[in-house]
Amino acid sequence: KFPTILNSPTINDFSDAAVKVSWQTRGAAVTSFKMYQADKTTLVKQVTLTATDVTNGYRIVSGLQGSTTYYIELYSDTKLRGYDVYTTKAPLSGILVDLREIVGRPDVLLDTLPVVPSGSTIILKRGQTYNMSSTYAVDKTLTFVSGNDLLNPNQAVINLASNLDLASGATVDSLVFRNVKLTSTDGYSSKYVMNISQAGTLGTFRLDACTASQFRGLLRIK
């Protein structure tokens, strides 16, 4: 590549509608960047950087299309300081329940589960802890995911004071955790993510790009 002060983008620098453009602070101060379509000629945005942007060393560009590639050139006045390619993530689809704007209520997830429809994807705020202070008997298809946040790469935390169970007689297609952190409250002595004690049907139990700690095990079927 052309010598560049642009930082190579990582997976945490993309969402479905925004990208984080960051650079190294050296040489002449940066002043702007241009964003083009993948053809490198059709201008999408021309961004003039503020003093705060320059101090921070990054600028977030929003209002973009999901699953789309953009070509970005960084400038100090008219001098090109580097270029790179950014591709936004695919947008979530289906029934979305977004809890990211609800802060300071660690029980909001437990309170929300009984009223969401089957097939819901529950979007959690990165870096926030959601307490499951009592057993929840799963009776519907659910997906839990850490939402995109370009300023906070930490996974949302689901803290289980009690195990998840399966509701008696329930038929659940899937229970999926995606890019979240799962913890328990009593070390490694007795807790599971899901401890099934009832007769029912669960098609898929899946942990995708998750971290889990302080459990005796992840899934137990009695």
Side-chain angles (χ1 to χ4, degrees):
K1 284 185 177 180
F2 184 88
T4 180
I5 62 169
L6 271 173
N7 295 319
S8 296
T10 69
I11 192 171
N12 293 321
D13 294 325
F14 307 101
S15 75
D16 58 341
V19 298
K20 180 182 179 182
V21 181
S22 67
W23 54 86
Q24 303 164 39
T25 305
R26 55 184 170 86
V30 294
T31 57
S32 66
F33 61 80
K34 296 178 182 179
M35 175 177 284
Y36 297 89
Q37 291 182 4
D39 61 11
K40 301 183 181 180
T41 58
T42 304
L43 185 65
V44 177
K45 290 178 182 286
Q46 183 164 345
V47 179
T48 300
L49 299 171
T50 67
T52 300
D53 297 331
V54 174
T55 299
N56 290 339
Y58 69 84
R59 173 72 174 261
I60 292 176
V61 185
S62 57
L64 306 179
Q65 300 297 314
S67 302
T68 302
T69 297
Y70 297 92
Y71 171 74
I72 293 178
E73 295 178 339
L74 181 69
Y75 288 89
S76 295
D77 294 323
T78 59
K79 182 179 179 180
L80 179 65
R81 302 299 305 280
Y83 59 84
D84 216 321
V85 173
Y86 296 70
T87 301
T88 53
K89 295 177 181 177
L92 295 173
S93 60
I95 304 170
L96 304 179
V97 180
D98 195 340
L99 300 183
R100 285 177 290 182
E101 295 302 315
I102 304 174
V103 296
R105 287 182 53 195
D107 293 330
V108 65
L109 177 59
L110 184 61
D111 295 340
T112 300
L113 289 177
V115 297
V116 301
S118 183
S120 294
T121 295
I122 301 175
I123 306 173
L124 305 175
K125 183 176 179 62
R126 286 184 175 271
Q128 182 158 312
T129 297
Y130 298 85
N131 290 332
M132 300 291 288
S133 55
S134 61
T135 299
Y136 175 71
V138 179
D139 60 353
K140 65 192 78 173
T141 296
L142 294 169
T143 297
F144 302 88
V145 60
S146 293
N148 290 314
D149 187 334
L150 299 184
L151 296 180
N152 191 343
N154 297 315
Q155 295 173 319
V157 179
I158 300 177
N159 186 41
L160 293 152
S162 187
N163 312 294
L164 297 176
D165 201 346
L166 186 65
S168 179
T171 298
V172 177
D173 179 74
S174 61
L175 180 65
V176 177
F177 298 88
R178 182 173 297 126
N179 200 6
V180 299
K181 182 176 181 179
L182 298 156
T183 62
S184 76
T185 57
D186 65 345
Y188 299 89
S189 61
S190 62
K191 293 293 187 298
Y192 300 83
V193 175
M194 192 169 195
N195 189 1
I196 299 177
S197 65
Q198 303 296 323
T201 300
L202 174 62
T204 299
F205 175 80
R206 180 176 175 181
L207 304 178
D208 184 3
C210 293
T211 57
S213 63
Q214 301 187 105
F215 292 101
R216 185 178 181 185
L218 298 178
L219 176 64
R220 182 188 188 198
I221 303 172
K222 299 178 186 177

